[in-house]
Amino acid sequence: MFAFQNIELPEKELKDITRYEKSFGEDWVNSAVIQHQIRSYMKEHLELIEIESKFATPYNCYNTGHEVWKRKDNTSITQDDWDALDNCSNGQGNKMIGKVGDMKVVREWFCDSGD
């Protein structure tokens, strides 16, 4: 179990997710809950270094991101941080650059919504 899975989401947030279960199914709800837990973990512990990050839409319906992250407390990246970033989904392609113990890590992703 990952550390972010221990995060309890607010009741309203859970209701906003679970109300779609009839439309999208239980697997979708479970995945959505995990993604919200990941984003809550990231919001609490991590900070995007905007000046070093890049985002682009080089083609219609195709987005890319090169995100540079650090811990808010300015300590080195932990395994829990790595797990959250590595499991955060932004599309079809997700790649982590760096390692646990570094002061910052890079997360590259792409999303092709034209399928």
Side-chain angles (χ1 to χ4, degrees), residues 3-4 7 11 23 32-33 48 62 73 83 90 105-106 113:
F4 58 78
I7 293 174
E11 188 174 332
S23 300
V33 167
L48 178 69
Y62 185 84
D73 63 7
D83 292 338
N90 278 58
V105 292
V106 176
S113 60

Side-chain angles (χ1 to χ4, degrees), residues 59-113:
Y59 313 108
N60 191 25
C61 301
Y62 185 84
N63 298 294
T64 64
H66 174 94
E67 303 173 345
V68 182
W69 293 88
K70 70 174 189 166
R71 287 189 52 84
K72 286 185 175 180
D73 63 7
N74 292 317
T75 59
S76 59
I77 297 294
T78 67
Q79 185 65 52
D80 292 337
D81 302 334
W82 184 274
D83 292 338
L85 289 164
D86 195 33
N87 286 282
C88 182
S89 178
N90 278 58
Q92 294 88 355
N94 294 289
K95 176 183 174 186
M96 295 288 295
I97 301 168
K99 63 184 182 307
V100 172
D102 288 351
M103 292 307 291
K104 54 187 171 182
V105 292
V106 176
R107 185 169 167 272
E108 293 183 339
W109 56 267
F110 70 89
C111 180
D112 183 355
S113 60

Side-chain angles (χ1 to χ4, degrees), residues 9-21 33:
L9 299 176
E11 188 174 332
K12 182 187 180 323
E13 193 171 347
L14 277 174
K15 284 183 181 179
D16 287 346
I17 297 168
T18 57
R19 70 181 176 163
Y20 293 103
E21 186 169 5
V33 167

Side-chain angles (χ1 to χ4, degrees), residues 7-45:
I7 293 174
E8 290 188 35
L9 299 176
E11 188 174 332
K12 182 187 180 323
E13 193 171 347
L14 277 174
K15 284 183 181 179
D16 287 346
I17 297 168
T18 57
R19 70 181 176 163
Y20 293 103
E21 186 169 5
K22 286 184 182 178
S23 300
F24 299 116
E26 185 179 346
D27 288 343
W28 182 91
V29 167
N30 292 337
S31 179
V33 167
I34 288 171
Q35 289 303 310
H36 280 253
Q37 289 173 314
I38 288 170
R39 295 193 192 285
S40 291
Y41 178 93
M42 290 169 62
K43 184 176 181 179
E44 183 177 338
H45 299 285

